[in-house]
Amino acid sequence: MSTLVEDNPAKNRFEILVDDALAGFTAYLPRGEVLVFTHTEVDPKFQNMGVGSALIRATLDQLRERGTRVVPRCPFVAAFIDRHPEYADMVTAQP
């Protein structure tokens, strides 16, 4: 299974492709140097396969490289960061 996570700024979301099929996305609202994550969705046929976690991990890794901070309003993103405290330093207060 090959996966690719990429930013789709036209739709304000990061998307995960599994074997070239859109498997899920995490939506954000841009607020300057901060992204407010509002919703994460994984296609039902890709659920319980770790796709959501792979999406959030790759998204946060890309944002860390850019120096972007996040507001995890989406419960899935917030829970992921709680389980992976190495990303906690990227969280900022609501802009």
Side-chain angles (χ1 to χ4, degrees):
M1 180 169 77
S2 71
T3 61
L4 171 69
V5 174
E6 55 190 4
D7 191 2
N8 183 342
K11 292 188 176 180
N12 285 345
R13 66 188 196 179
F14 278 82
E15 300 172 338
I16 186 165
L17 303 174
V18 176
D19 297 329
D20 297 324
L22 180 63
F25 65 88
T26 185
Y28 59 81
L29 299 170
R31 297 288 181 261
E33 291 301 306
V34 174
L35 295 184
V36 180
F37 283 88
T38 57
H39 179 71
T40 300
E41 199 171 298
V42 173
D43 185 296
K45 65 183 172 203
F46 292 102
Q47 288 179 357
N48 302 312
M49 296 170 59
V51 170
S53 292
L55 167 63
I56 302 308
R57 180 181 307 280
T59 296
L60 292 173
D61 287 345
Q62 290 179 40
L63 293 176
R64 184 184 299 280
E65 287 178 21
R66 293 186 206 169
T68 303
R69 313 267 296 179
V70 300
V71 176
R73 199 181 297 156
C74 166
F76 188 85
V77 176
F80 181 90
I81 293 171
D82 284 345
R83 288 191 316 271
H84 300 90
E86 64 269 26
Y87 295 106
D89 64 316
M90 296 176 64
V91 175
T92 189
Q94 184 73 30

